[in-house]
Amino acid sequence: MGKTFKLAVAGLERELTVCRISDDLSIAAFVLFGDVTLTVAAARELLKRAPAHDILITAEAKGIPLVHEMARQNGESTYIVARKGVKLYMKDVFSVELQSITTQRRQTLCVDTQEAAKMDGKRVLIIDDVVSTGESLRAVEKLVKEAGGIIAGKMAVLAEGDAKYRDDIIFLEYLPLLNSDGTPKE
């Protein structure tokens, strides 16, 4: 087994796998997929801090279980997922490009006119699992604005690295960037 980093969030502890990004930079991989207990707890804690909103949105894919659980716990019947590519059922799509720290190539996020109609004139709360560079949030924010939505707030389970200094994101815990040996960068 490789290096791990211990994280406490939403009243739970998890051992996160340390992943090398470069010779002098590693990150602790926070993955909600498959961790129902953590997803439920994180959604509950985020909802305690959530601003008033009409609909939730997240970028595909790691935020999907979180946004689903937040909507379920809050009695909301729908949420939006900004897709990473155009699907056959999507009509009149608009999109934005982004570069995430965990993805090697540029990505596209898109929504169609049906999803845009759900945001038009509504307070939209943007949800993510981890905010690091903020690229995913910026891309989703641009989609919301293009759809005529009003940004109610931006939330994440974790703020990684310098994202902890941002005052425009509500988050539960700080996740430090790591040295190659898995220790937190100072």
Side-chain angles (χ1 to χ4, degrees):
M1 175 145 167
K3 295 177 183 122
T4 62
F5 180 82
K6 187 178 284 192
L7 176 74
V9 62
L12 302 169
E13 282 194 357
R14 294 295 185 266
E15 291 283 336
L16 308 181
T17 301
V18 174
C19 301
R20 183 176 172 262
I21 301 294
S22 67
D23 288 342
D24 63 344
L25 176 65
S26 293
I27 61 171
F30 181 74
V31 182
L32 285 174
F33 286 138
D35 194 335
V36 175
T37 304
L38 181 57
T39 301
V40 169
R44 180 182 60 244
E45 294 306 311
L46 284 170
L47 284 169
K48 289 177 184 177
R49 303 175 189 187
H53 62 278
D54 300 308
I55 194 161
L56 303 166
I57 188 171
T58 193
E60 190 176 35
K62 290 186 348 184
I64 294 173
L66 179 62
V67 78
H68 176 88
E69 182 60 21
M70 288 178 72
R72 189 195 69 75
Q73 286 184 27
N74 211 37
E76 298 176 37
S77 62
T78 190
Y79 57 87
I80 298 168
V81 175
R83 303 300 303 262
K84 287 185 179 175
V86 178
K87 307 301 177 191
L88 290 175
Y89 60 83
M90 299 174 85
K91 304 295 179 209
D92 300 320
V93 174
F94 52 98
S95 62
V96 294
E97 283 196 358
L98 71 134
Q99 178 70 54
S100 171
I101 190 172
T102 56
T103 307
Q104 293 182 358
R105 58 179 166 70
R106 291 193 64 75
Q107 295 180 331
T108 301
L109 289 180
C110 54
V111 296
D112 69 6
T113 52
Q114 287 183 327
E115 293 157 329
K118 293 177 185 177
M119 294 186 279
D120 189 20
K122 302 289 193 295
R123 299 169 298 175
V124 182
L125 184 55
I126 302 171
I127 305 299
D128 207 347
D129 60 337
V130 180
V131 175
S132 186
T133 63
E135 277 295 307
S136 296
L137 282 181
R138 276 190 287 281
V140 174
E141 188 171 5
K142 185 174 179 185
L143 286 174
V144 170
K145 289 178 178 176
E146 285 183 20
I150 303 154
I151 306 297
K154 296 174 266 188
M155 302 187 84
V157 178
L158 303 174
E160 185 176 54
D162 287 345
K164 76 175 182 177
Y165 299 114
R166 293 180 57 166
D167 61 3
D168 64 327
I169 302 168
I170 299 166
F171 62 93
L172 299 180
E173 297 294 336
Y174 167 61
L175 181 62
L177 294 173
L178 306 174
N179 294 305
S180 58
D181 65 357
T183 57
K185 285 190 169 287
E186 296 296 324

